[in-house]
Amino acid sequence: MSRAKAFAFAVLLTATGCAGSRLVPEIVDAPGMRTLPAVGERNVDGDTAWFTLTDGSREKVRFIGVDTPESTTQHEPFGKEAAGYTASILTVGRGVDLEIDLDERDRYGRLLAYVWISPPATGDAAEARAKMLNAMLVEQGYAMVLTIPPNIAYVDLFVALQLEARNAARGLWAVGS
């Protein structure tokens, strides 16, 4: 997704409201965080996956704060690589913790979450960098920052990681160089 397209999309979602009305079951409050234990079921692409929650329900989850190139119906440069990276980290059956921000759902009904591949203790920048899939995608250059308020808990970290990836020409930042 181009930067202009991503910005327009963010403005559209903010203006039209992207929060759904369904609530997420069994949210566990970690220190200053709302997390939901889940198990990876199926990856859709680089920034979306299906999870099974502890109550047995299934949720399609869109990763907050990041946008990977398309690899399903459209094929953008580096989309398959981004999807492959997510699949290598988020294997089927892997337990994760889904951190919920202010808006729980987007306008398509997908759950919005930060995906922790091991349980967060503090949620600080160093821990997020090492254990949060969203941050790892940006740091390795598989995703660009896509901020849609009010879900902005890690925006400063994501912007810093994107700058690092771009300066190091990692991932999609190396395409065409």
Side-chain angles (χ1 to χ4, degrees):
M1 178 180 289
S2 71
R3 289 183 189 160
K5 185 175 163 188
F7 179 75
F9 184 68
V11 170
L12 173 67
L13 288 179
T14 302
T16 60
C18 59
S21 59
R22 293 184 338 193
L23 296 177
V24 177
E26 301 181 38
I27 293 177
V28 178
D29 286 323
M33 307 165 83
R34 298 184 316 147
T35 61
L36 180 67
V39 174
E41 185 179 307
R42 181 174 65 89
N43 295 304
V44 175
D45 58 18
D47 55 29
T48 308
W50 282 91
F51 294 89
T52 301
L53 306 182
T54 54
D55 67 358
S57 64
R58 296 174 64 233
E59 288 281 355
K60 188 174 189 179
V61 176
R62 175 66 168 79
F63 308 164
I64 298 174
V66 301
D67 184 45
T68 62
E70 297 301 320
S71 66
T72 55
T73 58
Q74 298 176 16
H75 297 281
E76 296 178 334
F78 217 68
K80 285 188 180 193
E81 292 84 352
Y85 180 79
T86 295
S88 74
I89 301 293
L90 187 57
T91 55
V92 173
R94 182 172 194 158
V96 298
D97 287 281
L98 303 174
E99 181 183 355
I100 310 304
D101 207 333
L102 296 175
D103 276 351
E104 292 178 355
R105 297 194 181 271
D106 65 11
R107 67 183 184 144
Y108 304 107
R110 297 176 297 188
L111 182 64
L112 301 170
Y114 302 102
V115 180
W116 291 88
I117 59 172
S118 43
T122 63
D124 66 15
E127 184 179 39
R129 181 182 207 121
K131 297 167 46 174
M132 183 201 293
L133 180 56
N134 312 49
M136 295 162 69
L137 283 162
V138 175
E139 180 181 34
Q140 295 304 313
Y142 291 103
M144 292 180 17
V145 176
L146 175 63
T147 302
I148 302 173
N151 292 349
I152 59 169
Y154 298 95
V155 67
D156 293 339
L157 171 64
F158 292 173
V159 168
L161 293 174
Q162 180 172 286
L163 183 59
E164 283 179 29
R166 189 174 68 195
N167 288 341
R170 283 194 297 262
L172 62 90
W173 300 107
V175 174
S177 30

